[in-house]
Amino acid sequence: MSRVLIVSNRLPITVRTGGDEGFVVERSSGGLATGLKSVHEGSHGLWIGWPGPRSALSAEQRAALDERFAALQVVPVDLSEEEVEQYYEGYCNGVLWPVFHSFPSQLPLETADFSLYRRVNQRFADEVARQYRPGDLVWVHDYQLMLVPRMLRELIPDAVIGFFLHIPFPAPDVFRTLPSREALLDGLLGCDLVGFHTASYMRNFASSVLHVLGAGTDVDRVGWQGRATNLGVFPMGVDARGYQALGESAEVRALGEDFRGAEIERVLVGIDRLDYTKGIPRRLLAYERMLADHPELHGRVRLVQVAVPSRTNVEAYAGFRHQVDALVGRINGRFGSPRWSPVHYVYRGLSAEHVAALYVIADVLLVTPIRDGMNLVAKEFVAARADEDGVLVLSEFTGAAAELAEAVHVNPYDIERSAAAYHRALLMPSGERRTRMQSLRKRVFSYDIHWWSRTFVETLTRSGQRPDHRPIDYSPPLDVAQALATMDAASSLALLLDYDGTLVPIAATPDLARPDDPLRDLLTRLAARPGVQVHVVSGRDQAMLDAWLGDLPVSLHAEHGQWSRGPGGAWVGVEEPPATWRARALEILEDAAARTPGSLVERKRSGLAWHYRMADAEYGELQANELKVHVAALLSNAPVEVLAGDKVVELRPYGASKGRVARAVLALCPPGTVVAALGDDVTDEDLFAALPPTGLSFHVGTAPSRARLRLRSPEDVRELLATLAGAPG
């Protein structure tokens, strides 16, 4: 088994003062620590994360603690108090947490902590890179470290990197409220595999990638910057056998009776962090409604609500606590008596034994968040119930709802129906309770925490072996310099330059790609160099190229070579058959534009193009796929071909191609001419293919290409040409 480097915000240990050495190190008992223990220790891997504050320790104590860390196979990333406050409490929990849980209204007016979030993520990535050995698997966890995969990809290009998101991924329109949305998505797309709890979260991520970055997406894959990132659904489980053992212990059962009380017949239990996503106020309102509708339950039922203090330094949580306190007080004041409190409210954390005791005595467990990534409390309850009794009431807005179909599902926003569901759960016949619980237990035990960790690592290993997951190789500076030297030394040089995506960045609409003055000056200086011919070979039509570049001393080739003209000359076209296909095709394209807001039809002298860069990303891709099939079928016998470009579907007559331009230019060049072609899309592959073996071909970007050399962007192209022209661009 490959060594696994686990990377999370916190280490699976707690350091506290005390003991003979001045500190005590305790292993965490949480679900993640339990689930990854076998991966961590079994692979002889490392766990990298923040150990908690330890600035109060002396130098000797820190040295002793580091030795203890090494023995435990953990590597600390220390954070200052300021970093904890701004990175963790400020950005992670003040910005990312509310947006990912679909609460953009909780966003602060300013999000100034992203720069620190980036710096802390870089610290984690640097530490992983220091510990990395060839062959290791890297598994990064959760929203606090979303930039780490991309940073690692740059530091260790060949690493196999996985990421698991433990919280929901929101719908695209919610995610897009984040000012840092592009950086976060790009960060995750440095991975070989990104995992989610549910299929809906995975779809939201893929949709956000398409909307925000324009990256190509499939059902479970994203193509970005020349690499493929796999997406997967891995619903996290719990240590089912461990919770069953807890629930069966005599100590836990004795503790449970203390919560129930002798006079109470039925107990409802809620166990949550005190967080606005957990739905505690709405749960209390539904319980209050149930008591109002069913006075026969007074004195016979009790809700034990545990609220574990959470993020007390985040402003949004202080007001929330007061709201919960007020509701508990109102219910107890309205319905309570000297002998009966309807709500037993516990505002503190409980030990694992006390939590298990509540699971065991609960007639009904209420898990009713208004948004939750998975909610392992629901699965812990099921695992603890070896007696196969008890009813789980589960919000449909939890990740667990996608798995636990036998729970009583509720919409926590619907107070009246939630109250009815609570009442139904309390009175559910024994046979139905056991049938539901038996099915739930089978699923929870089959897909436990160990299944989750094992399956993710196995999938990550396979993902890293795919050839399309290797990083794109841009040409080394030395190779580009050698090609530049060849061009510079040539007595005769022909430059064949694509326009959009090569000389200028791709624009939202065709009209917005107008050349700037520095580009016009650059082309003029190149053409003025003795022995140099400059040819702009574009898919644009004649009128646009004339308007933009017609006064420059360069040759122009429009509509992918259908029309050509020398500097200041007249346009000459390729002989083409009558365009009887054009009217039918134009009607189809215009219909597509009418049905796809944001798209448009470009009419060229010989061809047609349907652009959809400004359309809704998902709908545009869907319409483009349908359009390609429809047009190809309609024009199957016509002398025209369908080209799929970057957010464009184009129709051009047969016989016109950039390869034809290259062959025509070469036929007129003197012997020994060096030919260099630069382009960025599929139409430029014809150009590259037509070059002689000695020709120089440069692909711009990350798409697959036959070109010998690869540049990152139009900025790199301009820098190369400016050097050739003899002045900085």
Side-chain angles (χ1 to χ4, degrees):
M1 180 180 184
S2 299
R3 198 173 70 144
V4 180
L5 306 186
I6 301 167
V7 192
S8 64
N9 180 62
R10 286 297 302 262
L11 287 174
I13 57 172
T14 300
V15 181
R16 59 179 178 83
T17 58
D20 296 337
E21 297 176 289
F23 62 85
V24 176
V25 178
E26 298 174 339
R27 289 185 179 271
S28 300
S29 58
L32 188 62
T34 301
L36 294 180
K37 183 178 180 181
S38 60
V39 172
H40 176 210
E41 298 177 356
S43 72
H44 303 287
L46 299 174
W47 196 315
I48 299 166
W50 179 48
R54 55 176 184 155
S55 57
L57 299 178
S58 67
E60 293 78 9
Q61 289 172 328
R62 287 174 64 93
L65 184 56
D66 285 339
E67 291 182 8
R68 186 73 59 82
F69 285 163
L72 294 172
Q73 299 171 221
V74 301
V75 178
V77 178
D78 287 309
L79 302 177
S80 67
E81 291 184 9
E82 177 191 18
E83 287 170 335
V84 172
E85 179 181 352
Q86 295 180 20
Y87 145 77
Y88 183 67
E89 295 179 357
Y91 192 78
C92 293
N93 294 325
V95 177
L96 295 181
W97 181 267
V99 170
F100 276 65
H101 286 83
S102 303
F103 284 88
S105 61
Q106 295 286 354
L107 272 174
L109 294 178
E110 293 185 274
T111 55
D113 297 325
F114 181 70
S115 60
L116 187 56
Y117 178 83
R118 185 188 296 276
R119 289 202 301 273
V120 171
N121 272 241
Q122 189 67 62
R123 297 246 308 274
F124 275 83
D126 291 342
E127 188 59 53
V128 175
R130 277 192 289 272
Q131 303 295 334
Y132 178 83
R133 300 176 193 163
D136 286 349
L137 301 178
V138 182
W139 189 359
V140 185
H141 289 268
D142 225 5
Y143 64 105
Q144 300 95 345
L145 302 174
M146 293 175 69
L147 303 182
V148 167
R150 172 62 60 198
M151 294 169 172
L152 274 177
R153 183 63 61 202
E154 294 173 358
L155 293 169
I156 321 170
D158 294 328
V160 179
I161 305 169
F163 180 94
F164 189 82
L165 184 68
H166 292 265
I167 62 175
F169 197 96
D173 57 339
V174 176
F175 177 79
R176 286 157 63 190
T177 61
L178 282 170
S180 51
R181 57 197 187 180
E182 293 89 355
L184 295 170
L185 291 177
D186 178 70
L188 293 183
L189 292 179
C191 289
D192 294 283
L193 174 66
V194 181
F196 305 88
H197 284 302
T198 72
S200 64
Y201 302 160
M202 184 179 76
R203 286 194 298 269
N204 285 344
F205 174 77
S207 182
S208 295
V209 165
L210 181 61
H211 280 85
V212 175
L213 298 181
T217 62
D218 203 343
V219 175
D220 58 357
R221 299 179 74 205
V222 176
W224 178 241
Q225 296 187 345
R227 299 185 74 260
T229 297
N230 277 1
L231 310 179
V233 177
F234 307 90
M236 190 173 178
V238 298
D239 180 14
R241 286 168 179 77
Y243 276 98
Q244 175 167 296
L246 264 180
E248 290 178 321
S249 74
E251 176 190 359
V252 163
R253 292 188 172 277
L255 287 172
E257 293 308 314
D258 293 338
F259 281 110
R260 177 183 289 276
E263 76 284 2
I264 301 300
E265 297 178 16
R266 310 292 281 174
V267 176
L268 302 95
V269 172
I271 303 174
D272 311 86
R273 282 188 306 102
L274 191 62
D275 190 289
Y276 53 79
T277 65
K278 300 301 182 180
I280 298 175
R282 293 180 181 277
R283 181 184 307 157
L284 291 169
L285 289 172
Y287 179 63
E288 181 181 41
R289 174 67 65 87
M290 184 189 74
L291 293 178
D293 291 345
H294 299 280
E296 71 276 8
L297 295 178
H298 295 187
R300 298 170 54 198
V301 301
R302 171 171 292 153
L303 169 61
V304 179
Q305 177 61 60
V306 178
V308 180
S310 175
R311 297 165 187 161
T312 54
N313 293 330
V314 179
E315 184 178 348
Y317 288 77
F320 181 71
R321 179 188 174 185
H322 292 313
Q323 181 186 22
V324 172
D325 289 346
L327 281 170
V328 171
R330 187 176 84 184
I331 295 170
N332 283 337
R334 178 181 178 186
F335 298 107
S337 69
R339 299 184 59 187
W340 175 58
S341 293
V343 182
H344 181 179
Y345 183 56
V346 182
Y347 177 65
R348 61 183 174 88
L350 297 179
S351 68
E353 290 75 17
H354 280 89
V355 169
L358 285 172
Y359 291 154
V360 169
I361 61 105
D363 296 291
V364 178
L365 184 77
L366 302 178
V367 180
T368 58
I370 47 183
R371 194 63 172 165
D372 216 341
M374 172 54 69
N375 197 293
L376 298 179
V377 166
K379 295 185 176 183
E380 291 171 3
F381 166 67
V382 171
R385 295 306 293 258
D387 61 354
E388 298 182 343
D389 204 352
V391 180
L392 173 62
V393 175
L394 185 61
S395 166
E396 62 190 62
F397 300 116
T398 63
E403 291 182 88
L404 306 183
E406 293 81 11
V408 176
H409 289 199
V410 296
N411 173 5
Y413 289 94
D414 190 334
I415 303 300
E416 185 174 348
R417 287 190 177 182
S418 293
Y422 297 178
H423 183 252
R424 175 190 168 202
L426 283 171
L427 301 183
M428 186 177 290
S430 173
E432 183 180 352
R433 293 199 309 267
R434 293 184 180 279
T435 297
R436 287 174 178 265
M437 184 57 75
Q438 287 167 358
S439 297
L440 290 171
R441 283 175 58 80
K442 182 178 180 180
R443 188 169 293 109
V444 167
F445 276 79
S446 296
Y447 303 103
D448 64 1
I449 187 69
H450 307 293
W451 172 90
W452 171 79
S453 60
R454 182 177 64 252
T455 303
F456 187 94
V457 170
E458 290 172 353
T459 308
L460 176 59
T461 301
R462 291 194 300 271
S463 296
Q465 294 168 349
R466 296 180 62 103
D468 56 358
H469 284 241
R470 289 195 293 267
I472 195 72
D473 291 324
Y474 293 103
S475 296
L478 181 60
D479 291 355
V480 176
Q482 289 175 343
L484 181 60
T486 300
M487 291 187 285
D488 187 55
S491 58
S492 177
L493 173 65
L495 294 173
L496 305 173
L497 310 176
D498 173 49
Y499 186 77
D500 293 280
T502 302
L503 294 175
V504 298
I506 297 292
T509 64
D511 292 340
L512 297 180
R514 182 180 297 274
D516 52 45
D517 290 338
L519 175 59
R520 288 171 49 82
D521 177 66
L522 175 58
L523 294 175
T524 300
R525 287 189 288 112
L526 282 169
R529 179 171 166 161
V532 174
Q533 307 172 43
V534 178
H535 298 262
V536 176
V537 189
S538 173
R540 300 283 183 165
D541 64 17
Q542 303 128 284
M544 193 166 287
L545 289 181
D546 263 334
W548 287 357
L549 304 173
D551 59 330
L552 302 185
V554 301
S555 296
L556 302 177
H557 306 271
E559 298 193 40
H560 306 294
Q562 182 69 32
W563 301 89
S564 298
R565 50 153 279 192
W571 288 99
V572 177
V574 176
E575 184 177 350
E576 57 182 278
T580 55
W581 57 270
R582 187 179 174 90
R584 290 181 294 164
L586 180 61
E587 183 179 350
I588 294 172
L589 266 58
E590 288 183 336
D591 180 62
R595 290 184 287 105
T596 313
S599 68
L600 57 91
V601 176
E602 181 185 6
R603 304 188 190 192
K604 304 178 183 181
R605 183 166 175 180
S606 297
L608 299 169
W610 180 71
H611 298 268
Y612 60 98
R613 183 167 299 279
M614 293 297 291
D616 175 83
E618 287 181 279
Y619 189 61
E621 291 292 342
L622 177 65
Q623 292 293 89
N625 290 334
E626 292 183 357
L627 181 63
K628 284 181 284 188
V629 172
H630 190 183
V631 171
L634 178 70
L635 305 178
S636 59
N637 296 318
V640 63
E641 57 183 326
V642 182
L643 303 175
D646 188 0
K647 306 297 182 185
V648 61
V649 176
E650 193 160 1
L651 309 181
R652 74 178 183 191
Y654 281 127
S657 77
K658 292 184 178 182
R660 189 192 77 71
V661 172
R663 289 187 290 272
V665 169
L666 284 166
L668 299 176
C669 287
T673 296
V674 174
V675 183
L678 292 86
D680 76 304
D681 70 14
V682 66
T683 64
D684 298 306
E685 295 303 305
D686 295 333
L687 193 62
F688 302 148
L691 298 185
T694 57
L696 299 172
S697 50
F698 297 80
H699 179 82
V700 184
T702 60
S705 175
R706 69 172 71 221
R708 291 169 53 188
L709 298 161
R710 187 181 292 272
L711 301 175
R712 290 180 180 273
S713 66
E715 288 75 17
D716 287 355
V717 171
R718 291 204 194 189
E719 183 178 349
L720 175 75
L721 296 178
T723 304
L724 183 63

